[in-house]
């Protein structure tokens, strides 16, 4: 029980049930293997390709990962969940059923004496005004309430359509966007630099980018991106001394 793990972007449910199930089992195997070492587990969003929780109903599927998280949580391992842009519609199920706190904004933590800023990473930094506008609508309580009144057959159908569209624009199909854009164009890196002008952090840890990144912003201050489990099976791990990006063999 001595390492802190950061992992993101499973996108379970996508692009089809067969590959999603294979991925879900792989993630559970990974969690099994690291269980003896986990001091804390940070899930940095987009665990599901689409998750909308109705007041009394949750989406079908994902029983393996939910069961695994329940098992870890029941062992007393602290787990944190940051919502992603694909699974922001959470309504207390994780808190009540799994005892996992859910965060909707980046949050500062002090871990093993180091300062961390942790989040999913969507909508931060310059540009992307189209998404920032849509995010406001998605997060609007009245819009959420109205969506909840749609029959799931309609609501989830619509959501899956938009989720597919969003995925097409955030990297699963547009391969070129996966490439490192350069120090001056990586918007999460720009965001980290802006934050650093006001507050110091040893580590900025985000997901969303679907590209594993370990970038030294200043001596001792790094931006880590956890990548994804579609192409990389990547995760970050901090043992109190070393922070490193690692890859689970598929
Ligand atoms: Mn994602």
């Amino acid at each position: 029980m001595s390492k802190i793990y950061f992992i993101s972007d499973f996108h379970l449910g996508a692009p089809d049930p067969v590959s999603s199930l294979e991925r879900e089992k792989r993630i559970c195997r990974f969690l099994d293997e690291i269980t003896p070492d986990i001091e804390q587990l940070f899930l940095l969003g987009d665990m599901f390709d689409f998750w909308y929780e109705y007041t009394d109903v949750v989406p079908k599927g994902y029983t393996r990962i939910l069961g695994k998280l329940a098992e870890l949580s029941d062992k007393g391992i602290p787990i944190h969940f940051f919502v992603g842009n694909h699974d922001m519609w959470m309504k207390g199920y994780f808190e009540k059923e799994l005892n996992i706190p859910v965060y909707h904004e980046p949050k500062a933590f002090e871990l093993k004496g180091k300062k961390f800023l942790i989040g999913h990473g969507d909508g931060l930094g310059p540009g992307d005004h189209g998404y920032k506008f849509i995010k406001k609508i998605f997060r609007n309580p009245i819009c959420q309430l109205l969506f909840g009144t749609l029959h799931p057959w309609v609501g989830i159908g619509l959501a899956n359509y938009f989720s597919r569209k969003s995925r097409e624009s955030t990297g699963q199909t547009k391969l070129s966007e996966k490439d490192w854009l350069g120090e001056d164009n990586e918007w999460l890196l720009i965001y980290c630099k802006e934050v650093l002008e006001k507050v110091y952090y040893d580590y900025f840890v985000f997901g969303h980018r679907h590209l594993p990144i370990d970038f030294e912003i200043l001596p001792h201050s790094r931006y880590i991106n956890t990548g994804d489990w579609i192409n990389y099976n990547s995760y970050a791990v901090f043992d109190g001394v070393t922070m490193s990006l690692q890859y689970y063999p598929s």
Side-chain angles (χ1 to χ4, degrees), residues 152-205:
W153 181 76
V154 179
I156 295 198
L158 270 174
N160 282 336
Y161 172 79
F162 283 112
S163 188
R164 214 160 39 239
K165 287 279 166 203
S166 163
R167 188 163 61 251
E168 281 165 13
S169 71
T170 53
Q172 262 185 283
T173 52
K174 274 191 195 168
L175 290 168
S176 59
E177 283 188 8
K178 286 214 198 98
D179 297 335
W180 171 249
L181 299 173
E183 185 174 349
D184 299 328
N185 293 313
E186 282 289 337
W187 34 268
L188 265 171
L189 178 55
I190 295 168
Y191 170 77
C192 297
K193 288 179 176 176
E194 285 169 2
V195 172
L196 267 181
E197 285 174 16
K198 291 171 232 143
V199 196
Y200 181 81
Y201 290 99
D202 297 287
Y203 299 105
F204 295 85
V205 192

Side-chain angles (χ1 to χ4, degrees), residues 9 11 46 85-86 120 208 210:
D9 294 275
H11 286 265
D46 285 0
N85 48 311
H86 285 257
H120 179 60
H208 186 57
H210 289 244

Side-chain angles (χ1 to χ4, degrees), residues 61-82:
Y62 319 120
T63 50
R64 288 163 188 82
I65 188 77
L66 292 171
K68 186 55 63 189
L69 293 176
E71 186 188 315
L72 297 177
S73 180
D74 290 349
K75 281 184 202 288
I77 296 171
I79 305 173
H80 308 264
F81 188 85
F82 288 81

Side-chain angles (χ1 to χ4, degrees), residues 78-151:
I79 305 173
H80 308 264
F81 188 85
F82 288 81
V83 302
N85 48 311
H86 285 257
D87 50 16
M88 64 174 82
W89 302 277
M90 297 215 155
K91 233 180 188 174
Y93 183 61
F94 268 44
E95 289 94 334
K96 283 193 204 111
E97 185 69 22
L98 303 171
N99 193 30
I100 295 177
V102 172
Y103 312 110
H104 290 260
E105 302 289 344
K107 187 172 159 56
F109 286 82
E110 188 164 328
L111 303 169
K112 296 177 179 285
K114 298 287 182 187
K115 290 185 72 186
F116 284 74
L117 186 64
I118 301 168
H120 179 60
D122 58 305
L124 303 177
D128 208 4
H129 299 292
Y131 172 68
K132 284 173 185 163
F133 175 71
I134 289 172
K135 188 175 175 181
K136 278 198 183 121
I137 296 173
F138 282 170
R139 290 178 55 152
N140 180 286
I142 294 165
C143 293
Q144 290 190 1
L145 195 74
L146 288 173
F147 185 86
T149 64
L150 296 175
H151 189 280

Side-chain angles (χ1 to χ4, degrees), residues 199-222:
V199 196
Y200 181 81
Y201 290 99
D202 297 287
Y203 299 105
F204 295 85
V205 192
F206 294 106
H208 186 57
R209 181 63 177 82
H210 289 244
L211 180 71
I213 296 169
D214 183 351
F215 188 90
E216 188 174 74
I217 311 169
L218 295 172
H220 310 299
S221 179
R222 276 152 68 192

